[in-house]
Amino acid sequence: MTIKSILVTDALYDYMLSTSLREPETLKQLREETAQHTHSMMQIAPEQGQFMSLLVKLIGAKTILEIGVFTGYSSTCLALALPAEGRITACDISEDFTNVARRYWAQAKVADKIDLRLGPALETLDSLIAEGKAGSYDMAFIDADKANYDGYYEQSLLLLRTGGLLVIDNVLWNGQVADPSIQDADTVAIRRLNEKIHADPRVTISLLPIADGLTLALKR
């Protein structure tokens, strides 16, 4: 009926959630608590979390790299989707944010699946490479500071196995990437990475208009 992605109105969005979202009570509580947070816009949308959980199951992921934890909604989604032996290496710089995440990991009974590494993510990723983890992850999710997206992309590709899936959040940046008059550092960083990935022969890609835009990049 249409040759392009449908415009999602508020009414259609509510309908979509009412007929698709299966959100565990723990995730609902976490989302509602985070909605009161000063930086609540940093949390992913629930339908995105459910979609990424499906991706975990589709590719049979057992090892996941997460760059940017915030209060833990995405990591909790991913951990719940992992098999019992699955593990997430979660990178963040904020102890305050991740203290909330820790509470909900415990509540969801997934704390034993998550290795939280506090510190600048680029340094953490370098340390993982130095530990011999290159080529060992099945999936990576990037949702952190935009200025370092390119570095996260490159290091994540090194850490992913061939056939591993890289998921990148905020690639549509509330539509600002399509407005050439907007030239702030974050918008420019995302725009440049989008262009780079489009031309990158190392990956097979699809950019999806889910939430704030989600790029899927399969490592060849």
Side-chain angles (χ1 to χ4, degrees):
M1 300 289 284
T2 179
I3 61 170
K4 63 180 182 179
S5 296
I6 191 171
L7 176 65
V8 179
T9 62
D10 289 343
L12 187 56
Y13 180 72
D14 291 342
Y15 174 80
M16 181 177 68
L17 294 188
S18 71
T19 58
S20 173
L21 185 64
R22 299 175 177 176
E23 186 177 41
E25 183 61 27
T26 297
L27 285 172
K28 181 180 178 183
Q29 291 175 13
L30 171 53
R31 182 164 57 88
E32 290 174 348
E33 178 176 337
T34 306
Q36 308 305 314
H37 197 284
T38 305
H39 300 289
S40 60
M41 293 301 292
M42 291 168 57
Q43 179 171 264
I44 67 167
E47 70 275 15
Q48 178 181 335
Q50 182 168 291
F51 176 67
M52 294 196 305
S53 297
L54 178 60
L55 292 176
V56 171
K57 293 181 178 296
L58 284 172
I59 69 171
K62 293 183 179 180
T63 52
I64 299 175
L65 177 64
E66 179 179 64
I67 304 167
V69 175
F70 189 38
T71 57
Y73 192 92
S74 56
S75 52
T76 306
C77 287
L78 296 172
L80 286 169
L82 282 171
E85 70 275 20
R87 294 293 181 268
I88 298 173
T89 305
C91 309
D92 204 282
I93 200 168
S94 172
E95 189 165 358
D96 288 340
F97 292 165
T98 55
N99 279 340
V100 178
R102 288 179 189 273
R103 282 197 285 111
Y104 283 94
W105 294 339
Q107 185 174 323
K109 297 181 172 54
V110 296
D112 61 335
K113 294 181 177 180
I114 302 171
D115 173 19
L116 176 63
R117 302 206 180 190
L118 289 175
L122 290 174
E123 295 178 11
T124 300
L125 298 174
D126 278 340
S127 70
L128 291 171
I129 293 167
E131 291 169 19
K133 300 287 189 181
S136 69
Y137 285 89
D138 299 314
M139 182 174 174
F141 176 50
I142 300 175
D143 184 18
D145 58 298
K146 311 313 169 192
N148 285 314
Y149 258 33
D150 185 80
Y152 299 148
Y153 174 73
E154 290 295 336
Q155 289 174 309
S156 294
L157 278 182
L158 281 174
L159 288 160
L160 281 172
R161 62 170 173 80
T162 299
L165 181 64
L166 179 54
V167 182
I168 308 170
D169 199 17
N170 303 121
V171 293
L172 294 181
W173 203 228
N174 200 31
Q176 295 181 68
V177 288
D179 185 346
S181 70
I182 299 177
Q183 293 292 324
D184 65 274
D186 286 344
T187 304
V188 169
I190 296 169
R191 189 182 289 136
R192 286 177 176 169
L193 182 61
N194 288 341
E195 293 167 356
K196 174 178 178 173
I197 295 172
H198 184 221
D200 192 345
R202 297 174 295 175
V203 290
T204 301
I205 66 166
S206 184
L207 192 163
L208 305 174
I210 296 174
D212 196 28
L214 205 62
T215 287
L216 307 183
L218 190 73
K219 182 177 176 180
R220 291 177 172 172

